[in-house]
Amino acid sequence: MKTVYNSDNKRDMKTNEMKQPDMESYFTDFSARMLQRVQSLPASTFVSTENQFPQFDTNDQFVGFSSSSESTKRSFPFLFQRIASMAALFIIAFFIAFQQFHPYTKVANENEEMLNQIAVSDLESSFYLNENTLTNDADTHAEWINELMDPINDIQPNTGL
Amino acid sequence: MKGATIPEDSEIIQLFHELSTRELAYSYLLQKYQQKLYWHIRRFVVRHEDADDVLQNTCIKIWENLMRFRSDSRLYTWLFRIATNEALQFVQKQRAGLHISMDAFQEEHEMPLHADSYFDGNRAERTLQEAILGLPDKQKLVFHLRYFEQMSYEEISEVCGTSEGALKASYHHAVQKIEKYLQRSLNQFLRPESNL
């Protein structure tokens, strides 16, 4: 049983003969069919693929589409953009690493640590002072005032004029 | 329409941009390219009925997108790109639907080649078609466009979006594989008893 197109472009299942299709009439019918079809088409029926390029795997088998062609991927602006973005990333990573491991940064970190320790000891001493201030022990209080006044007492009056 | 001179591509596009002459431009376009597109699709999908379906989808996409056609590529390479994409998509869907390997898919497509009443090729032509069917998609596509459509590598590059160097390599591999297949078939034909 052979399937052929008759003049109405319908599949004719009744013939058993080895017929070659009449391609000329097929194409004439096809044109008429398409012209009729596009007249009744809604706004957009299909997903557009006209600006897409086929993508192939390493075995040259089709895997899907991409909006950028392989030649675009090899073009100078595309490569330049890629190289520039990679260079920018490298510079940022280098800058961060430089900051972290530079000797000045190490010294600064050590200084900061030292300052923190001083701050903690200051806090402890101020707590001690406050505690002393609050006591009613007159001797301790006086001793503390003296201690505070010592640097002031050491200042010599300016006798310049 | 028959016998009338078909205008140049640029003229067809101009006519398509006018609402009053859009259908006329489309009929010119079909007249000029439908046969080429049909045979290009048919070489991929093999069956006439499948080629008819894929060609219909292709022509609808052409109608829907021709207004947006940018003249940075040639019209016919743009048309071939749509037809190629549609044919590849169809074959991929068919392959996925059948859940079969590439070899089985090839056999599946060779069967209608033998049974197809529309295929009027002689033995050599049929063997060539079988050899082409055994190629990977990219090599098959490049071979079709270069050998049958006689496109330049520059034009094929516009269709596939692949560099000319890569296309030349694909074509070379395709030709080598086809030669090997034809040589094997010829040996089988000349010495059939050796296969027993």
Side-chain angles (χ1 to χ4, degrees), chain B residues 180-193:
Chain B
K180 216 179 270 182
Y181 186 91
L182 292 178
Q183 193 63 50
R184 214 171 41 231
S185 301
L186 189 68
N187 289 342
Q188 280 175 358
F189 181 70
L190 295 173
R191 289 190 294 273
E193 70 281 357

Side-chain angles (χ1 to χ4, degrees), chain A residues 2-5 11 18-21 23-24 26-28 30-31 33-35 37-39 41-54 56 59-65 69-72 74, chain B residues 2 23 26-27 30 34-35 38-39 48-49 52 55-57 59-61 63-65 68 70 78 81-82 85-86 88-89 92 95 102 115 117-118 120 136-139 141 157-163:
Chain A
K2 305 295 172 193
T3 305
V4 291
Y5 280 83
R11 287 176 196 182
M18 280 285 282
K19 275 188 183 174
Q20 288 306 314
M23 293 314 283
E24 203 177 326
Y26 164 72
F27 286 124
T28 312
F30 184 83
S31 290
R33 201 159 23 119
M34 283 317 298
L35 279 167
R37 192 147 174 215
V38 293
Q39 282 168 356
L41 265 183
S44 186
T45 331
F46 290 91
V47 179
S48 167
T49 57
E50 92 282 6
N51 287 323
Q52 293 185 319
F53 295 95
F56 302 93
N59 297 321
D60 281 349
Q61 293 298 350
F62 173 67
V63 284
F65 296 108
S69 65
E70 278 179 42
S71 33
T72 310
R74 287 196 187 93
Chain B
K2 211 172 176 180
E23 280 171 30
Y26 190 65
S27 68
L30 289 175
Q34 65 174 352
Q35 294 199 31
Y38 169 84
W39 289 112
H48 167 76
E49 288 77 12
D52 181 59
L55 184 65
Q56 271 190 53
N57 288 349
C59 290
I60 289 170
K61 282 194 176 173
W63 170 266
E64 287 188 335
N65 296 298
R68 289 203 295 267
R70 297 186 301 268
W78 183 79
R81 193 193 307 159
I82 298 177
N85 290 353
E86 286 302 311
L88 284 170
Q89 214 167 21
Q92 194 187 35
R95 218 178 274 163
M102 270 308 296
S117 61
Y118 302 154
D120 60 347
D137 294 334
K138 190 178 182 181
Q139 291 172 20
L141 171 64
S157 177
E158 279 180 26
V159 176
C160 308
T162 310
S163 68

Side-chain angles (χ1 to χ4, degrees), chain B residues 163-176:
Chain B
S163 68
E164 287 182 39
L167 291 173
K168 282 175 189 170
S170 291
Y171 185 72
H172 176 73
H173 289 307
V175 169
Q176 274 189 327

